[in-house]
Amino acid sequence: MTTAREIMTEGAECIGENETVLDAAKKMTDLGVGALPICGTDNKLKGMLTDRDIVVKVLGAGKDPAACKAGDLAQGEAVTIGADDDAEEILRTMTQHKVRRLPVIDGHDLVGIVAQADVARALPEPKVGDLVEALSTD
């Protein structure tokens, strides 16, 4: 069975919880990504910050991205997947939590991200179709 480690994108970079949203936006631009894990000063994952979060929760709300901290946008406990979890667990977790990106954890270390696109490349079409449908409905 395919594991998260086999299909993830390696080398995920975090944005620190005390870094600004403006810093996060610049980092996303430099890396060519639409989301960054938010990491705490305690080296624990605090959540995910997406480009949509920046637009809706910061810019759309009239907040200053240079004054707003990334950690302020972390919501609850981060949804993650273990590096050795199988594809069925990835699908189940993404569907249950309605997330398109899952940070991949090995022990306590962030080792990558599994995105919906990674799943699409690695799994059979019917399973990918079910995932896309689940994530596209309210």
Side-chain angles (χ1 to χ4, degrees):
M1 179 59 80
T2 304
T3 65
R5 187 185 310 275
E6 294 169 322
I7 66 171
M8 71 182 186
T9 301
E10 293 183 53
E13 291 193 32
C14 286
I15 189 73
E17 67 181 335
N18 293 319
E19 291 183 75
T20 69
V21 171
L22 182 59
D23 292 332
K26 289 177 180 177
K27 193 169 204 175
M28 285 181 190
T29 300
D30 292 345
L31 296 172
V33 299
L36 291 170
I38 303 169
C39 294
T41 55
D42 58 1
N43 265 352
K44 292 190 177 171
L45 194 61
K46 302 299 181 186
M48 289 289 288
L49 177 64
T50 67
D51 47 10
R52 186 174 195 286
D53 291 333
I54 294 170
V55 170
V56 173
K57 297 175 183 173
V58 179
L59 300 177
K63 296 178 182 175
D64 179 0
C68 185
K69 302 292 184 199
D72 294 342
L73 300 179
Q75 298 177 350
E77 190 171 328
V79 178
T80 63
I81 195 83
D84 296 318
D85 288 346
D86 65 32
E88 291 298 323
E89 184 63 22
I90 295 167
L91 292 170
R92 192 169 27 258
T93 303
M94 285 182 150
T95 301
Q96 178 182 349
H97 295 280
K98 295 230 179 229
V99 294
R100 289 176 167 80
R101 299 170 188 95
L102 282 174
V104 181
I105 305 296
D106 188 2
H108 294 288
D109 298 327
L110 176 69
V111 294
I113 302 275
V114 171
Q116 186 177 3
D118 297 320
V119 173
R121 283 190 292 270
L123 300 181
E125 283 184 38
K127 291 197 179 285
V128 174
D130 291 345
L131 175 62
V132 171
E133 183 177 348
L135 295 179
S136 299
T137 57
D138 290 335

